[in-house]
Amino acid sequence: MNWKLFTAASVSVMLSAFPQNIIGCGGSEDPYDYYTSFFSKETTDLHGYRPFYYTSLLTFYSDWENENKETDLPDPVLEEWKEYAGGKVSTADAEQFIYIFNADYIGQLNGHITRKQPATLPADLNKNGMTSYFTSSRDLEALNYLVMAKQAEKYSVASDAWSNPERGDSLELNRYIAGADAQYNKMVNPFLKTKYGFLRCKLAFYNNRFKDCIRWYDEAFTASDKSAVKEQALAYKAGSLFKTGKPKEAAYTFSQAFALSSKNKRSHFMGFLWASQNANPQLKNSYLALARNNEEKANLLGMFSLFGSSYRLADMAQVHQLSPANPMLEILAIREINKIEEQFLTPRLHSEKGGKAFYFTWEDTKSAFTQSNQPLVNTSAFFQKLAADKNTKNPALYLAGAAYIEFINKNYAKADALAASVSKLNPSQKIKEQVQLIRLLVMANDQPKIDAPREEKLLSELQWLRKKAATQTEYRIFYRNFLSEILAQKYQQQGDVAKAALALGVADLFDLSESEEESYGEGYGIDFVREQMTTTQILTLYGYFDNKTPSPYLKHLLDHSSFNKDKVVDVIGTSYLRDFNFTKAIEWLAKAKSTESLSENYWNSLSQTEENLNVDPFHDYLNDWQRYDKKLPTPYNKLSFAKKMLELETKLPTLKGEEQAKLYYQLASAYYNMSHYGNSYMTVVYYRSSSAWNHGKYDLAWKREYFQVNKARSYYQKAYELSTNKEFKAAAFFLVAKCAQRQIPMPDYNSNDWTAFDKQMTEFNKKFRNNPQFAQFRKEFGATQFYKYAFNRCSYLRDYRP
């Protein structure tokens, strides 16, 4: 289980405006990976926009990462200092000097240059490239600025991620502000003048002098100013507008800072969210009225569209109309594609035969994408329009997007034709790869059945996808999704469940995953074989493994499956146990390299310790919590248990009267213990959920038996009918009644209609207590010692109201 995704998603869901109901955990280290996706976010390489890739689980896509990818972008402030120092200083030296060295260090250098201090400098300061610049240029003005900026830093920078900046005496802050203001007014050097203009604006903000901050920004920075600190100073102005009760003006100003920045877009966008009530669409038109030209309007509208999970094609079209080359268009396009994947493709795949709940489900299904396919039609048409527009940047991206949407909408011929046309638009290598993936998806879906000739065509594309998955995390997700959500599902729909299992086995990525968190766990493939297949289907799967001359395609699946022939042998033996075909179970379990022992770890409430015991599969008991009251010195395993059951079943017809009744009773206890409620459940299942119960709906016959204990009930009934011993008959009949209770279906939990569910549960509990068998039990056996014994140990008998 991917606990990291679970924790992050749980926290973010509480804060998000788009609540999801977790039903599982994601399969990789990526917030993108909670819905079925096949469209790469790497088809655009716009710097600074990574936080705005789509996920409705987190405010920003990059919230997931320990270190945001924005830190990889060039820092304009450092680049400006490097240029100021002559362009020969390394980025590492500039970062160390500007951001790491404290005011005392810089003061030592100042003293060294003016000969007021000893010539010896700390080693790291002495070897820094910026130090070389200052000692040769004797630029004391710049050093003095850095000393002041670093001394005042404690009032604006938190010492760690969980604390606030130090709040000193406002008079001391005012002293720094006055100093910065004085230096700004007398400074001739334009580079340092903007630095002091930024510093006084920043310090004024942190000393709650918001009007001064606004005024000083307007005084220090012009529209043509290209200094690196301009966008940061502008953000402080925006924050000051927000603090002075002007959210509309603040949002507009944050949008200006956003447009100027690449590295700080995320922080500017957060300010925009504060000032726009989380990009409230109802505020959009009044905020747009502040924009002075089409570019500003497009930028502001684009920011409204970068938040939320709702359909935003109309806004995207307006951004394009206002600014055809706007860089946000590519991000907005990918976000719309992702929304279609999340809200249309994933639920549709889930609802089809063979569909699997991906990682999350939604209570509210009223999204525009889930009501009809019209948003898909409109989005594809608009993307095709963008691709044909000569003013559009990266037209190949939009045509690839249109092809993919046509695939999602099951217009396979059109999807393939559009994908083929992308090559005419000079696509990047990333888009070429995206197109190849789209054509693979079409190839797997454009005919009713995946037959041998189609498998032969798929093989080379599948090998290509696997090669991509070996080196790229995103393509590991696509590879897994293709195998699990497309290929396996197609095989299930055409009745080839064995190949579906193999596809799921390959989807476990056991030989590709960088970490355990990138796979389904022990293996979704083998879980499918164990829990979702009939004996006949598993035998077909075994035949694939036993084939000495498999086709190249089949060999590819077999070679990369997470489970092997030996595991399939064990499941076949187990499946025959489920069918109560003990002869065949023995035959196959004897071939298995090992078989599971019938032992169990359980919590002993009396000793308050966890204990392991060898369970007695023939133990009979009144209450299920007594299932571990008997233990064996030597454990059964699946094979020895099957042999014992075959021995007893073979012996059964040779007996008569009381002897036969006793054997029916003994076998009934074994069949009950093989069920969900017994102590030997591990003979037929590999995992028992503590919350499971009989819900009355089963896709496989063995599951019905596992929960409804029909065989156990019929054998207890036979024991009751054959015996003439009143006390024995009473015990047998009571256990008939116990089995009958387990056959009452419990309603499925319904979070959408709690009132109805609560009513259904009340009715279930009433039926469970008022077992109609109890009336006959009391009437026929009320005078027996067993009745008195059972009455004192079974609350249902005491609660029973005829």
Side-chain angles (χ1 to χ4, degrees):
M1 178 175 283
N2 188 338
W3 293 108
K4 185 175 180 183
L5 178 58
F6 180 84
T7 304
S10 297
V11 172
S12 64
V13 162
M14 290 187 290
L15 303 176
S16 171
F18 312 100
Q20 323 294 337
N21 294 312
I22 249 182
I23 62 169
C25 298
S28 71
E29 292 290 311
D30 198 314
Y32 197 65
D33 188 26
Y34 67 95
Y35 54 87
T36 305
S37 177
F38 298 104
F39 202 86
S40 173
K41 56 186 177 293
E42 303 296 339
T43 48
T44 178
D45 59 358
L46 295 174
H47 294 307
Y49 281 96
R50 183 176 177 82
F52 308 101
Y53 288 121
Y54 181 77
T55 172
S56 65
L57 296 182
L58 306 167
T59 301
F60 294 105
Y61 183 88
S62 56
D63 282 346
W64 179 250
E65 296 155 347
N66 292 328
E67 293 184 9
N68 295 328
K69 291 294 180 68
E70 301 96 283
T71 58
D72 296 337
L73 299 172
D75 185 330
V77 172
L78 293 182
E79 294 302 311
E80 196 172 52
W81 274 105
K82 286 166 58 180
E83 183 179 353
Y84 181 75
K88 297 180 180 180
V89 178
S90 69
T91 300
D93 279 359
E95 181 176 15
Q96 185 183 45
F97 198 94
I98 302 301
Y99 292 145
I100 306 301
F101 291 160
N102 59 29
D104 290 339
Y105 251 44
I106 306 302
Q108 289 183 54
L109 178 59
N110 192 317
H112 170 68
I113 292 172
T114 58
R115 307 296 186 193
K116 294 180 179 178
Q117 291 184 0
T120 303
L121 293 173
D124 51 351
L125 177 61
N126 190 51
K127 66 181 182 180
N128 188 279
M130 291 290 289
T131 299
S132 298
Y133 161 74
F134 281 110
T135 53
S136 61
S137 67
R138 302 177 64 82
D139 188 348
L140 298 179
E141 284 187 334
L143 281 178
N144 288 334
Y145 165 75
L146 288 171
V147 169
M148 179 183 291
K150 288 176 178 292
Q151 287 175 339
E153 203 169 57
K154 63 183 177 180
Y155 298 116
S156 58
V157 177
S159 59
D160 60 66
W162 300 101
S163 66
N164 293 318
E166 182 179 330
R167 298 303 182 196
D169 189 334
S170 62
L171 294 178
E172 185 177 1
L173 250 178
N174 280 336
R175 181 172 61 82
Y176 282 114
I177 294 170
D181 183 50
Q183 290 296 322
Y184 172 82
N185 286 313
K186 74 178 184 179
M187 186 58 60
V188 175
N189 183 327
F191 174 81
L192 294 176
K193 191 174 186 71
T194 59
K195 291 290 187 288
Y196 278 114
F198 161 72
L199 183 60
R200 67 175 181 173
C201 186
K202 171 184 174 180
L203 295 178
F205 176 85
Y206 283 109
N207 208 25
N208 299 322
R209 291 172 57 177
F210 303 121
K211 292 182 179 180
D212 285 336
C213 178
I214 296 167
R215 175 171 57 85
W216 282 336
Y217 172 84
D218 292 339
E219 178 184 317
F221 299 96
T222 64
S224 59
D225 193 301
K226 303 297 182 183
S227 64
V229 292
K230 177 182 177 179
E231 51 104 355
Q232 296 182 33
L234 186 58
Y236 282 115
K237 175 186 175 181
S240 296
L241 287 166
F242 181 74
K243 290 286 190 178
T244 53
K246 296 180 178 180
K248 185 189 304 185
E249 291 79 2
Y252 167 66
T253 307
F254 275 123
S255 76
Q256 292 177 302
F258 183 90
L260 290 173
S261 173
S262 58
K263 194 175 182 64
N264 299 314
K265 283 188 182 296
R266 173 190 163 117
S267 61
H268 298 330
F269 190 81
M270 182 62 78
F272 170 80
L273 291 180
W274 295 336
S276 64
Q277 300 175 19
N278 280 342
N280 185 345
Q282 296 180 357
L283 301 176
K284 181 176 60 180
N285 290 334
S286 64
Y287 279 42
L288 290 177
L290 292 179
R292 294 172 297 182
N293 53 54
N294 284 350
E295 284 296 329
E296 288 189 351
K297 188 173 290 187
N299 189 61
L300 193 53
L301 180 59
M303 292 180 72
F304 271 98
S305 303
L306 284 175
F307 188 76
S309 61
S310 60
Y311 184 47
R312 304 302 290 265
L313 188 67
D315 287 344
M316 184 182 170
Q318 189 178 353
V319 171
H320 173 256
Q321 183 181 10
L322 292 167
S323 175
N326 193 289
M328 269 192 274
L329 282 169
E330 294 181 35
I331 301 300
L332 293 175
I334 294 175
R335 285 178 62 89
E336 291 306 300
I337 291 170
N338 296 156
K339 293 171 193 176
I340 289 172
E341 290 179 319
E342 177 198 51
Q343 300 171 39
F344 186 91
L345 175 63
T346 302
R348 192 200 75 200
L349 289 173
H350 181 195
S351 66
E352 293 177 354
K353 182 179 179 180
K356 298 160 284 296
F358 204 63
Y359 302 127
F360 294 84
T361 188
W362 292 261
E363 286 186 6
D364 184 5
T365 58
K366 296 179 181 180
S367 161
F369 299 107
T370 57
Q371 296 303 297
S372 75
N373 67 344
Q374 192 59 48
L376 277 69
V377 173
N378 296 343
T379 304
S380 174
F382 178 63
F383 283 4
Q384 291 175 64
K385 176 183 176 182
L386 287 182
D389 188 337
K390 294 181 179 179
N391 295 316
T392 299
K393 289 186 177 180
N394 201 3
L397 167 66
Y398 302 107
L399 196 58
Y404 181 54
I405 292 170
E406 294 295 343
F407 156 75
I408 294 175
N409 210 17
K410 298 191 175 183
N411 296 324
Y412 300 127
K414 186 173 182 180
D416 200 51
L418 290 174
S421 299
V422 173
S423 62
K424 301 174 183 178
L425 299 177
N426 191 29
S428 67
Q429 182 59 33
K430 291 288 187 182
I431 294 178
K432 289 178 183 178
E433 293 165 356
Q434 177 64 64
V435 167
Q436 190 168 352
L437 178 57
I438 294 168
R439 302 194 80 174
L440 170 59
L441 291 166
V442 171
M443 189 186 300
N445 284 274
D446 65 351
Q447 65 179 29
K449 185 176 182 179
I450 299 178
D451 53 16
R454 181 49 56 101
E455 288 177 341
E456 186 178 348
K457 291 181 179 180
L458 283 171
L459 177 58
S460 62
E461 296 301 312
L462 198 55
Q463 290 171 330
W464 163 80
L465 184 55
R466 179 179 176 80
K467 187 176 180 180
K468 294 288 296 178
T471 58
Q472 295 184 32
T473 300
E474 188 177 47
Y475 270 84
R476 274 192 286 278
I477 295 172
F478 296 158
Y479 182 54
R480 184 206 64 207
N481 289 354
F482 177 77
L483 290 158
S484 172
E485 311 303 307
I486 302 296
L487 196 61
Q489 201 152 312
K490 287 286 290 184
Y491 278 128
Q492 286 181 268
Q493 289 165 6
Q494 67 188 49
D496 197 341
V497 181
K499 279 186 181 171
L502 282 176
L504 291 170
V506 181
D508 284 328
L509 307 181
F510 85 104
D511 55 353
L512 282 182
S513 299
E514 292 182 328
S515 68
E516 291 183 3
E517 292 179 328
E518 281 196 348
S519 69
Y520 281 105
E522 179 188 359
Y524 189 77
I526 192 61
D527 286 347
F528 179 82
V529 177
R530 290 168 173 172
E531 304 298 329
Q532 302 297 327
M533 295 177 69
T534 65
T535 306
T536 301
Q537 292 165 346
I538 306 170
L539 287 169
T540 301
L541 177 61
Y542 176 81
Y544 289 148
F545 278 101
D546 207 36
N547 188 340
K548 304 303 183 206
T549 58
S551 69
Y553 174 83
L554 181 58
K555 187 176 186 303
H556 179 86
L557 297 183
L558 292 169
D559 287 348
H560 299 295
S561 172
S562 60
F563 59 86
N564 56 24
K565 183 177 178 179
D566 291 329
K567 286 191 176 183
V568 175
V569 168
D570 176 74
V571 183
I572 293 173
T574 303
S575 189
Y576 276 121
L577 277 176
R578 293 165 175 170
D579 299 339
F580 305 142
N581 187 336
F582 301 113
T583 301
K584 298 297 289 185
I586 292 167
E587 175 188 336
W588 283 92
L589 290 170
K591 298 178 183 180
K593 287 188 175 181
S594 63
T595 58
E596 187 174 349
S597 295
L598 274 56
S599 60
E600 177 75 332
N601 287 319
Y602 82 105
W603 180 257
N604 188 322
S605 58
L606 296 177
S607 65
Q608 292 293 296
T609 58
E610 186 176 54
E611 297 183 8
N612 180 271
L613 60 83
N614 303 320
V615 299
D616 180 356
F618 299 97
H619 173 37
D620 64 310
Y621 39 87
L622 291 184
N623 304 108
D624 286 346
W625 54 265
Q626 296 173 300
R627 62 172 71 96
Y628 302 124
D629 284 356
K630 286 187 179 180
K631 58 184 177 179
L632 301 176
T634 302
Y636 280 96
N637 60 29
K638 289 182 180 182
L639 179 58
S640 61
F641 174 71
K643 289 179 177 178
K644 184 64 175 179
M645 291 296 287
L646 179 61
E647 174 192 335
L648 296 178
E649 284 284 2
T650 303
K651 184 179 179 182
L652 188 61
T654 68
L655 302 178
K656 293 183 179 180
E658 294 296 332
E659 292 301 315
Q660 191 178 50
K662 289 178 182 178
L663 187 50
Y664 265 117
Y665 185 95
Q666 184 181 19
L667 282 165
S669 297
Y671 285 120
Y672 186 87
N673 278 320
M674 291 173 72
S675 78
H676 174 74
Y677 320 102
N679 62 23
S680 305
Y681 68 91
M682 69 287 293
T683 57
V684 292
V685 298
Y686 294 82
Y687 168 76
R688 176 171 66 182
S689 170
S690 60
S691 61
W693 196 263
N694 172 28
H695 290 277
K697 295 173 286 188
Y698 305 103
D699 53 348
L700 296 172
W702 74 265
K703 291 185 179 181
R704 183 178 297 106
E705 180 62 39
Y706 176 70
F707 284 104
Q708 292 184 352
V709 291
N710 298 298
K711 186 84 167 179
R713 178 176 178 175
S714 67
Y715 271 41
Y716 280 129
Q717 182 72 28
K718 282 283 189 180
Y720 159 75
E721 292 170 355
L722 287 168
S723 179
T724 58
N725 183 301
K726 197 75 171 177
E727 295 292 339
F728 180 84
K729 286 175 74 71
F733 192 83
F734 176 82
L735 292 172
V736 170
K738 177 181 175 180
C739 291
Q741 270 189 321
R742 274 92 187 121
Q743 293 171 350
I744 302 170
M746 179 185 289
D748 290 318
Y749 175 70
N750 184 355
S751 61
N752 290 323
D753 192 344
W754 172 257
T755 302
F757 172 71
D758 187 53
K759 183 178 180 181
Q760 292 167 357
M761 279 300 299
T762 300
E763 186 64 25
F764 166 78
N765 289 326
K766 182 179 179 181
K767 289 180 180 179
F768 199 81
R769 288 194 305 271
N770 297 345
N771 188 334
Q773 302 284 332
F774 288 161
Q776 184 179 349
F777 179 60
R778 183 169 62 180
K779 179 180 179 181
E780 188 172 348
F781 302 108
T784 64
Q785 291 299 313
F786 181 85
Y787 180 86
K788 296 174 184 177
Y789 173 82
F791 186 86
N792 290 327
R793 286 163 178 79
C794 179
S795 63
Y796 297 121
L797 283 178
R798 296 194 301 275
D799 295 341
Y800 173 66
R801 297 292 183 271

